[in-house]
Amino acid sequence: MNLLVGLGNPGKDYSNTKHNFGFWILNRYTEKSFLTFKAGKGEYLSVKKENILCAKPTSYMNNSGNAILEIKNYFKIKTKDILVVYDDIDLPLGMIKFKEKGGAGGHKGIESTIYQLKSDKFNRLRIGIATDDIMRPAEKYVLSKFKDKHIENVKITIEKACEAIDFYYSHDINETMNRFNEKIGKD
């Protein structure tokens, strides 16, 4: 079984903030198959889509790893079969980027996941949230809403990410990165 995790913060105060992009993508991904999240056996909501367990931690972002470890252990999922979807302030809005293992890049949810799993050998789908708005301090930026002028781009990014996730589950990570990862800047 594969585990697809979207990162975000629980509660209505955070539901429309940039930090919840992972949740938005999982919501749309499961909605397209008419699936509904239900409470799991720990601090998460989940729903199964074929051989993919889709999950959203119900703890705050900084503790996401706790829920991911609970799910991994309960369902006996291998670390290499985990894909984590999360916002990334270092990528422009509209860009998605798959990553195979590696560090957290300053993202607290990924830091927590690496710490709890005692491994960085899981795949990630980074979702760009950088705009032309003032992005510092980063903590304030990620916990704010997108301006109206960005909403259409957000919707397009969600659809693009859902398409990329479908592709990922029928191809290997290298094929997926080659198809969906865009280069930033000059070579």
Side-chain angles (χ1 to χ4, degrees):
M1 180 181 308
N2 294 293
L3 175 58
L4 173 62
V5 180
L7 298 187
N9 281 310
K12 65 180 180 168
D13 291 344
Y14 298 102
S15 63
N16 293 318
T17 66
K18 298 172 187 82
H19 226 13
N20 275 31
F21 224 129
F23 281 5
W24 301 342
I25 290 168
L26 256 70
N27 289 343
R28 180 66 182 135
Y29 187 73
T30 56
E31 178 184 278
K32 290 172 106 171
S33 298
F34 305 100
L35 299 171
T36 305
F37 283 94
K38 296 188 175 26
K41 303 282 185 196
E43 289 189 65
Y44 60 91
L45 302 174
S46 67
V47 64
K48 195 170 178 201
K49 179 183 177 184
E50 299 161 12
N51 69 331
I52 305 165
L53 182 66
C54 302
K56 300 186 298 183
T58 54
S59 57
Y60 287 98
M61 179 70 77
N62 295 3
N63 296 317
S64 299
N66 296 337
I68 294 171
L69 181 62
E70 283 179 330
I71 298 164
K72 177 189 180 298
N73 290 341
Y74 184 81
F75 291 96
K76 296 174 178 43
I77 297 170
K78 295 176 184 152
T79 302
K80 69 175 186 63
D81 294 329
I82 298 173
L83 175 62
V84 180
V85 183
Y86 63 98
D87 62 285
D88 192 323
I89 197 170
D90 294 326
L91 297 176
L93 176 61
M95 179 175 278
I96 67 171
K97 199 163 195 147
F98 283 87
K99 182 178 179 187
E100 185 180 24
K101 67 187 181 227
H107 194 284
K108 301 297 184 195
I110 297 298
E111 279 181 21
S112 172
T113 303
I114 291 169
Y115 177 80
Q116 292 298 327
L117 297 180
K118 296 177 178 48
S119 174
D120 67 352
K121 293 177 178 39
F122 57 91
N123 294 327
R124 301 100 193 265
L125 174 52
R126 300 164 50 208
I127 308 298
I129 63 167
T131 64
D132 55 359
D133 300 328
I134 296 169
M135 296 190 301
R136 299 291 180 240
E139 299 80 20
K140 185 176 179 184
Y141 180 77
V142 300
L143 293 176
S144 66
K145 298 177 183 180
F146 282 107
K147 290 183 178 174
D148 289 345
K149 67 181 182 178
H150 299 297
I151 299 303
E152 189 58 32
N153 200 355
V154 168
K155 290 177 183 175
I156 291 167
T157 304
I158 291 169
E159 294 303 324
K160 181 178 169 183
C162 290
E163 175 192 342
I165 291 167
D166 278 336
F167 186 89
Y168 168 83
Y169 282 118
S170 59
H171 298 80
D172 70 31
I173 185 68
N174 291 320
E175 289 175 289
T176 305
M177 289 189 297
N178 287 336
R179 173 145 179 201
F180 290 95
N181 290 7
E182 301 171 35
K183 289 188 178 184
I184 302 174
K186 298 178 182 178
D187 288 335

